[in-house]
Amino acid sequence: MRRPAAAKKPASPGQIRIISGRWRGRKIPVADAEGLRPTTDRVRETLFNWLMQEVAEQRVLDCFAGSGALALEALSREASFALLLEKDRQQAQQLHSLCQGLGANAQVQQTDSLHYLQQGCSQPFDLVFIDPPFRQQLAEPCCQLLEQHGWLSAEAWIYLETEKELPLQAVPANWQLYREKIAGQLAYRLFRRQP
């Protein structure tokens, strides 16, 4: 006799882990949300190896925060402050709760990043993460707004994670490519702003 099929449990959100620093090994929940594509552990490890001593005491801006993995990794490695911009209301609330639970010196803004970046900034950021949803034409305008509206310190580091076919002409001319890698459909690049 066949047993009736058990009711399926709703899919639980995934998790990623903080790689190093004061919160090393800490699991970060990742919601199952459309377009949410957290930066993998391997890519984050490569990025932070590139940055090495450039994170401590830096002001961090995460333009498309998503899971918050990039900003939280920087805060774990002693960044002084992080501003996380996230459009999705539920994801922004989850990030806010996570930052509070960790005691992170962070602010989460539930907002459209491109609209928010048009406001300008009175205190520039030293390390900026740009990891927008793929193929929505968000990377290039984000790069331009950061440069035009005073968001970047004189020699800011800018991390750009995009689909590999995005041309490098999309970045401002004074951003010097420091490192880059291609992994599958993903291109990740680290730039240094030249004043």
Side-chain angles (χ1 to χ4, degrees):
M1 184 167 170
R2 232 172 100 161
R3 293 185 180 181
K8 286 186 177 182
K9 293 181 184 177
S12 62
Q15 291 183 333
I16 54 177
R17 67 180 175 87
I18 294 177
I19 298 166
S20 188
R22 63 183 164 172
W23 302 319
R24 180 183 176 152
R26 182 78 181 251
K27 303 274 193 222
I28 300 171
V30 178
D32 184 17
E34 186 177 340
L36 185 59
R37 182 188 41 74
T39 302
T40 65
D41 287 1
R42 185 174 61 109
V43 171
R44 270 185 294 116
E45 187 168 16
T46 300
L47 166 63
F48 284 94
N49 283 340
W50 289 346
L51 287 167
M52 284 301 228
Q53 307 302 318
E54 302 294 336
V55 179
E57 301 304 315
Q58 302 299 301
R59 287 176 43 82
V60 174
L61 172 62
D62 194 341
C63 295
F64 302 90
S67 68
L70 292 170
L72 291 170
E73 188 73 44
L75 287 166
S76 180
R77 295 171 188 240
E78 306 303 327
S80 63
F81 171 77
L83 173 59
L84 294 85
L85 307 179
E86 175 52 45
K87 188 173 185 177
D88 183 80
R89 185 177 54 80
Q90 287 183 315
Q91 191 62 31
Q93 288 173 342
Q94 180 176 331
L95 285 170
H96 180 73
S97 296
L98 183 58
C99 288
Q100 278 190 320
L102 291 169
N105 187 18
Q107 178 184 348
V108 178
Q109 284 286 342
Q110 192 261 310
T111 186
D112 177 278
S113 296
L114 298 184
H115 179 73
Y116 190 86
L117 293 173
Q118 290 175 16
Q119 299 174 39
C121 175
S122 60
Q123 193 173 0
F125 289 85
D126 310 297
L127 176 57
V128 177
F129 300 119
I130 307 167
D131 181 10
F134 279 4
R135 295 176 182 85
Q136 294 187 21
Q137 290 73 46
L138 297 170
E140 184 173 359
C142 181
C143 293
Q144 300 304 324
L145 289 168
L146 288 166
E147 190 62 45
Q148 294 166 0
H149 294 282
W151 288 94
L152 303 173
S153 65
E155 295 182 354
W157 290 97
I158 304 107
Y159 172 73
L160 180 61
E161 185 174 316
T162 63
E163 57 276 17
K164 71 178 179 184
E165 61 270 13
L166 184 76
L168 279 181
Q169 296 88 337
V171 302
N174 64 327
W175 293 12
Q176 181 180 2
L177 183 62
Y178 179 73
R179 295 273 195 276
E180 78 176 318
K181 276 200 168 185
I182 307 289
Q185 298 300 309
L186 171 74
Y188 52 108
R189 299 174 173 109
L190 183 61
F191 295 88
R192 186 77 189 258
R193 183 175 188 260
Q194 302 302 305

